[in-house]
């Protein structure tokens, strides 16, 4: 009985948590029990959905082409067959293929319409983003323009214009002064007549 008590006390001591053992945080305990949460996958974009719908429409087109080939084969057979059970069987099969073809065509049209809607949504979204960027750029440009205008003094600009006008006027006066002719003998009508008479005499001497 003493041995049994000793063993029982030892077992209880081993089962009891030690005051020196590290404590496990609640979230760590939950991770051990249930595992870590799987990170959430990003939501598909309109471009992703459009691409997926386009691939689906292409796949349906492939099925339609296959049915068209099979339907053409059956219709060609019916042209060369006489009326009877065999022709009715081929005609029945052709009708089934035609129904399948029309069903796939309707499904393809719906898929292509959905793809078009996704493309429209994506285009509108991109347009809104571009418009927002344009407006922000205009605001930033206007802010910079106002900042630069504050650095300018309209009075100084007007003074600069006046100084430029004065400089141009002075330059014109200088050019006029430099181009002025110096003092020469005056010429009157008598001088002109004498010059003309002298010219006639010279011409007569040359003729003689």
């Amino acid at each position: 009985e003493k041995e049994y008590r000793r063993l029982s006390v030892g077992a209880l001591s081993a089962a009891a948590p030690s005051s020196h053992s590290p404590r496990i945080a609640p979230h760590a305990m939950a991770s051990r029990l249930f595992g870590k949460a799987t990170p959430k996958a990003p939501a598909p974009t309109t471009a992703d959905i459009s691409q997926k719908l386009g691939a689906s429409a292409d796949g349906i087109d492939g099925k339609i082409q296959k049915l068209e080939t099979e339907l053409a084969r059956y219709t060609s057979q019916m042209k060369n067959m006489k009326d009877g059970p065999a022709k009715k069987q081929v005609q029945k099969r052709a009708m089934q293929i035609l129904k399948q073809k029309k069903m796939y065509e309707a499904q393809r049209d719906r898929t292509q319409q959905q793809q078009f809607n996704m493309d429209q949504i994506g285009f509108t979204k991109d347009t809104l983003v571009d418009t927002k960027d344009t407006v922000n750029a205009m605001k930033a440009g206007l802010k910079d323009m106002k900042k630069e205008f504050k650095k300018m003094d309209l009075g100084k600009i007007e003074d600069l214009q006046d100084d430029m006008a004065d400089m141009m006027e002075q330059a014109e006066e200088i050019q006029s002064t430099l181009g002025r002719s110096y003092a020469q003998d005056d010429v009157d009508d008598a001088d002109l007549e004498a010059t003309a008479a002298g010219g006639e005499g010279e011409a007569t001497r040359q003729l003689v």
Side-chain angles (χ1 to χ4, degrees), residues 108-146:
R108 178 199 58 191
D109 294 342
R110 288 193 299 268
T111 303
Q112 289 178 342
Q113 183 61 43
Q114 291 175 6
Q115 183 185 16
F116 176 76
N117 292 339
M118 287 295 101
D119 291 341
Q120 286 289 93
I121 293 172
F123 176 76
T124 304
K125 180 182 177 182
D126 293 340
T127 302
L128 291 175
V129 172
D130 293 340
T131 302
K132 180 181 177 182
D133 293 339
T134 302
V135 172
N136 291 335
M138 292 174 65
K139 288 181 179 179
L142 181 60
K143 184 178 180 181
D144 293 338
M145 288 175 63
K146 289 181 178 179

Side-chain angles (χ1 to χ4, degrees), residues 20-59:
H20 299 288
S21 60
R23 298 184 63 184
I24 301 176
H27 66 275
M29 181 64 72
S31 299
R32 289 185 181 181
L33 294 175
F34 304 105
K36 294 184 178 181
T38 305
K40 188 176 180 181
T45 63
T46 54
D48 295 335
I49 298 175
S50 176
Q51 185 177 3
K52 185 177 179 181
L53 291 171
S56 178
D58 292 340

